[in-house]
Short mmCIF file of all heavy atoms in Angstrom, two decimals:
data_model
loop_
_atom_site.label_atom_id
_atom_site.label_comp_id
_atom_site.label_asym_id
_atom_site.label_seq_id
_atom_site.Cartn_x
_atom_site.Cartn_y
_atom_site.Cartn_z
N PHE A 259 79.08 95.48 91.88
CA PHE A 259 78.22 94.30 92.02
C PHE A 259 78.05 93.58 90.68
O PHE A 259 78.43 92.44 90.53
CB PHE A 259 76.86 94.71 92.58
CG PHE A 259 75.97 93.56 92.92
CD1 PHE A 259 76.28 92.74 94.00
CD2 PHE A 259 74.82 93.29 92.19
CE1 PHE A 259 75.46 91.65 94.32
CE2 PHE A 259 74.01 92.21 92.52
CZ PHE A 259 74.32 91.40 93.58
N TYR A 260 77.52 94.28 89.69
CA TYR A 260 77.26 93.64 88.40
C TYR A 260 78.46 93.69 87.46
O TYR A 260 78.70 92.76 86.71
CB TYR A 260 76.07 94.31 87.70
CG TYR A 260 74.75 94.06 88.41
CD1 TYR A 260 74.06 95.10 89.01
CD2 TYR A 260 74.22 92.78 88.47
CE1 TYR A 260 72.86 94.87 89.66
CE2 TYR A 260 73.01 92.54 89.13
CZ TYR A 260 72.34 93.60 89.72
OH TYR A 260 71.14 93.36 90.36
N ASN A 261 79.21 94.78 87.47
CA ASN A 261 80.29 94.97 86.50
C ASN A 261 81.65 94.89 87.19
O ASN A 261 82.50 95.76 87.03
CB ASN A 261 80.15 96.33 85.80
CG ASN A 261 78.83 96.45 85.07
OD1 ASN A 261 78.44 95.55 84.36
ND2 ASN A 261 78.15 97.57 85.25
N GLY A 262 81.85 93.84 87.97
CA GLY A 262 83.05 93.73 88.79
C GLY A 262 84.35 93.87 88.04
O GLY A 262 85.18 94.72 88.36
N THR A 263 84.55 93.06 87.00
CA THR A 263 85.82 93.08 86.26
C THR A 263 86.00 94.40 85.51
O THR A 263 87.08 95.00 85.53
CB THR A 263 85.87 91.91 85.25
OG1 THR A 263 85.73 90.67 85.96
CG2 THR A 263 87.19 91.91 84.51
N GLU A 264 84.93 94.87 84.88
CA GLU A 264 85.00 96.13 84.13
C GLU A 264 85.27 97.31 85.05
O GLU A 264 86.14 98.14 84.77
CB GLU A 264 83.68 96.35 83.38
CG GLU A 264 83.64 97.63 82.57
CD GLU A 264 82.30 97.85 81.88
OE1 GLU A 264 81.57 96.85 81.68
OE2 GLU A 264 81.98 99.01 81.57
N ASP A 265 84.55 97.38 86.17
CA ASP A 265 84.76 98.48 87.12
C ASP A 265 86.15 98.42 87.74
O ASP A 265 86.79 99.46 87.96
CB ASP A 265 83.70 98.43 88.23
CG ASP A 265 82.34 98.91 87.75
OD1 ASP A 265 82.26 99.48 86.65
OD2 ASP A 265 81.36 98.70 88.49
N TYR A 266 86.61 97.21 88.03
CA TYR A 266 87.93 97.07 88.64
C TYR A 266 89.01 97.62 87.72
O TYR A 266 89.92 98.35 88.15
CB TYR A 266 88.21 95.59 88.96
CG TYR A 266 89.59 95.36 89.53
CD1 TYR A 266 89.86 95.61 90.87
CD2 TYR A 266 90.63 94.91 88.72
CE1 TYR A 266 91.14 95.41 91.40
CE2 TYR A 266 91.90 94.71 89.23
CZ TYR A 266 92.15 94.96 90.56
OH TYR A 266 93.41 94.76 91.07
N GLN A 267 88.95 97.29 86.44
CA GLN A 267 89.95 97.78 85.50
C GLN A 267 89.89 99.29 85.36
O GLN A 267 90.92 99.97 85.24
CB GLN A 267 89.78 97.12 84.13
CG GLN A 267 90.94 97.39 83.18
CD GLN A 267 92.28 96.99 83.75
OE1 GLN A 267 92.46 95.85 84.17
NE2 GLN A 267 93.22 97.93 83.78
N LYS A 268 88.67 99.85 85.38
CA LYS A 268 88.52 101.31 85.32
C LYS A 268 89.19 101.96 86.52
O LYS A 268 89.90 102.97 86.38
CB LYS A 268 87.04 101.70 85.27
CG LYS A 268 86.38 101.48 83.92
CD LYS A 268 84.87 101.66 84.01
CE LYS A 268 84.46 103.05 84.40
NZ LYS A 268 82.99 103.23 84.40
N ILE A 269 88.99 101.38 87.71
CA ILE A 269 89.59 101.93 88.92
C ILE A 269 91.11 101.86 88.84
O ILE A 269 91.83 102.83 89.18
CB ILE A 269 89.08 101.18 90.17
CG1 ILE A 269 87.69 101.65 90.54
CG2 ILE A 269 90.02 101.37 91.36
CD1 ILE A 269 87.61 103.03 91.16
N VAL A 270 91.65 100.73 88.41
CA VAL A 270 93.10 100.57 88.30
C VAL A 270 93.69 101.60 87.35
O VAL A 270 94.73 102.21 87.63
CB VAL A 270 93.46 99.13 87.85
CG1 VAL A 270 94.93 99.03 87.47
CG2 VAL A 270 93.14 98.14 88.96
N ASP A 271 93.03 101.81 86.22
CA ASP A 271 93.51 102.81 85.25
C ASP A 271 93.51 104.21 85.85
O ASP A 271 94.42 105.01 85.59
CB ASP A 271 92.63 102.79 83.99
CG ASP A 271 92.80 101.51 83.18
OD1 ASP A 271 93.82 100.81 83.38
OD2 ASP A 271 91.91 101.20 82.37
#
Side-chain angles (χ1 to χ4, degrees):
F259 187 69
Y260 292 114
N261 300 314
T263 302
E264 180 182 338
D265 285 348
Y266 177 80
Q267 190 55 54
K268 284 170 63 177
I269 282 287
V270 169
D271 291 341

